[in-house]
Amino acid sequence: MVILLNDLLSILAKALFYLLAVLLLMSCKENLVEPTVSTPKQKCPESDTIKTIPMPDTTSEEKTYKILALGDSYTIGESVSASERYPNQLADSLRQRGFDIDTVQIIAQTGWRTDDLDRAITAANIEGVYDLVFLLIGVNNFYQRGNVEAYKPEFTGLLNRALGYAGNKKENVIVVSIPDYGYTPFGRNNQPTISKGIDSFNSANKAISELAQVSYVNITDISREGFRDPSLVANDGLHPSGKMYSLWVERILPIIKK
């Protein structure tokens, strides 16, 4: 009886031991913490270390252009309004194309020969450089019975002055041919002689212009439409109308664009 009791106690003691061991193991497992892998945080740049790149200043003054026109009655626009003169019509056409034309200076007067224009230019005391310089002179040299050989050196001198006012930029100087007034009511009766004389003077100024490598605009053929279209002649029966000057401008514009 005593032996059985001892055996029973021994079994109970072992059972209690195993139970305590199991409870201990379960408690340890619940308290286990899985290791975590920490990654280093990326540092944000501080505000005082951020550098801003300044944008270039794209604002600039708009380019303005200056025109100088040298000549006689055909440049001052005898018998037409100021707005119909070919230099002013040209400026308006350029403005319509987005160009800011600041100045249109005209040194011209009806009846001037090459020597008259030369003196007037000196008296005008022109300053600065012009973006476009026009030269149209010679009809009065012919009309007043001038010699074409005498005309050549005087025209050459005027062309050199025009180049100077263009900053010696050949591409900025344009010579305009002399119109033929033989195709007007005034010159109708003497048209063949007038046309022959105009051709000789234009032959001279064209050759000089080509030698100087400046642009040359032939508008003489337009003036010879005066019999066919009387509206090309002004009311005075001699000089071009505003309509004819507009046709000159159409000839000049492509050269400026080029």
Side-chain angles (χ1 to χ4, degrees), residues 217-230:
V217 180
N218 177 24
I219 52 80
T220 308
D221 60 325
I222 297 174
S223 67
R224 287 174 174 162
E225 295 293 319
F227 290 164
R228 184 189 63 81
D229 184 359

Side-chain angles (χ1 to χ4, degrees), residues 135 152 155-164 166 168-175 204-216:
L135 179 61
K152 290 178 181 178
F155 181 83
T156 300
L158 288 170
L159 182 55
N160 286 332
R161 299 192 77 169
L163 280 164
N168 292 315
K169 294 181 179 180
K170 300 175 182 178
E171 65 273 18
N172 290 5
V173 176
I174 298 177
V175 172
N205 59 41
K206 183 179 181 181
I208 294 168
S209 300
E210 290 177 345
L211 185 63
Q213 298 180 331
V214 301
S215 296
Y216 186 88

Side-chain angles (χ1 to χ4, degrees), residues 62-65 91-102 256-257:
E62 184 179 355
K63 168 67 176 174
T64 59
Y65 298 88
D92 289 340
S93 295
L94 291 173
R95 290 186 184 107
Q96 292 171 8
R97 288 161 174 78
F99 293 92
D100 185 1
I101 307 301
D102 176 64
I256 295 176
K257 182 178 180 181

Side-chain angles (χ1 to χ4, degrees), residues 169-208:
K169 294 181 179 180
K170 300 175 182 178
E171 65 273 18
N172 290 5
V173 176
I174 298 177
V175 172
V176 182
S177 70
I178 303 168
D180 187 350
Y181 68 92
Y183 286 83
T184 66
F186 178 88
R188 178 187 293 271
N189 294 335
N190 201 24
Q191 180 268 314
T193 302
I194 294 172
S195 296
K196 183 178 179 180
I198 296 297
D199 283 343
S200 66
F201 275 74
N202 276 335
S203 178
N205 59 41
K206 183 179 181 181
I208 294 168

Side-chain angles (χ1 to χ4, degrees), residues 1-221:
M1 187 68 172
V2 174
I3 294 173
L4 289 174
L5 181 60
N6 287 336
D7 290 339
L8 180 59
L9 290 173
S10 176
I11 292 170
L12 289 173
K14 289 181 180 180
L16 181 62
F17 173 79
Y18 286 119
L19 179 61
L20 290 174
V22 170
L23 291 173
L24 181 63
L25 286 174
M26 290 179 65
S27 176
C28 290
K29 185 175 181 180
E30 289 177 357
N31 292 331
L32 286 176
V33 178
E34 294 184 3
T36 58
V37 180
S38 62
T39 57
K41 294 183 179 180
Q42 296 180 350
K43 295 182 68 178
C44 295
E46 297 179 3
S47 59
D48 60 350
T49 62
I50 297 176
K51 296 182 179 180
T52 58
I53 301 174
M55 296 297 291
D57 184 10
T58 57
T59 60
S60 60
E61 285 191 21
E62 184 179 355
K63 168 67 176 174
T64 59
Y65 298 88
K66 297 167 60 179
I67 296 175
L68 174 64
L70 310 172
D72 48 37
S73 60
Y74 297 129
T75 300
I76 199 62
E78 181 71 24
S79 298
V80 300
S81 66
S83 63
E84 292 179 301
R85 298 168 180 169
Y86 90 82
N88 291 337
Q89 287 201 52
L90 175 67
D92 289 340
S93 295
L94 291 173
R95 290 186 184 107
Q96 292 171 8
R97 288 161 174 78
F99 293 92
D100 185 1
I101 307 301
D102 176 64
T103 303
V104 180
Q105 183 170 359
I106 298 176
I107 300 178
Q109 185 171 307
T110 301
W112 276 358
R113 303 178 304 269
T114 46
D115 57 330
D116 297 313
L117 177 58
D118 188 61
R119 287 190 293 269
I121 292 173
T122 300
N125 193 26
I126 302 172
E127 296 181 354
V129 176
Y130 289 77
D131 300 284
L132 285 172
V133 180
F134 293 90
L135 179 61
L136 166 52
I137 192 71
V139 67
N140 294 297
N141 292 68
F142 166 70
Y143 180 71
Q144 298 175 27
R145 301 183 184 281
N147 187 294
V148 70
E149 294 303 319
Y151 167 76
K152 290 178 181 178
E154 293 181 354
F155 181 83
T156 300
L158 288 170
L159 182 55
N160 286 332
R161 299 192 77 169
L163 280 164
Y165 295 128
N168 292 315
K169 294 181 179 180
K170 300 175 182 178
E171 65 273 18
N172 290 5
V173 176
I174 298 177
V175 172
V176 182
S177 70
I178 303 168
D180 187 350
Y181 68 92
Y183 286 83
T184 66
F186 178 88
R188 178 187 293 271
N189 294 335
N190 201 24
Q191 180 268 314
T193 302
I194 294 172
S195 296
K196 183 178 179 180
I198 296 297
D199 283 343
S200 66
F201 275 74
N202 276 335
S203 178
N205 59 41
K206 183 179 181 181
I208 294 168
S209 300
E210 290 177 345
L211 185 63
Q213 298 180 331
V214 301
S215 296
Y216 186 88
V217 180
N218 177 24
I219 52 80
T220 308
D221 60 325

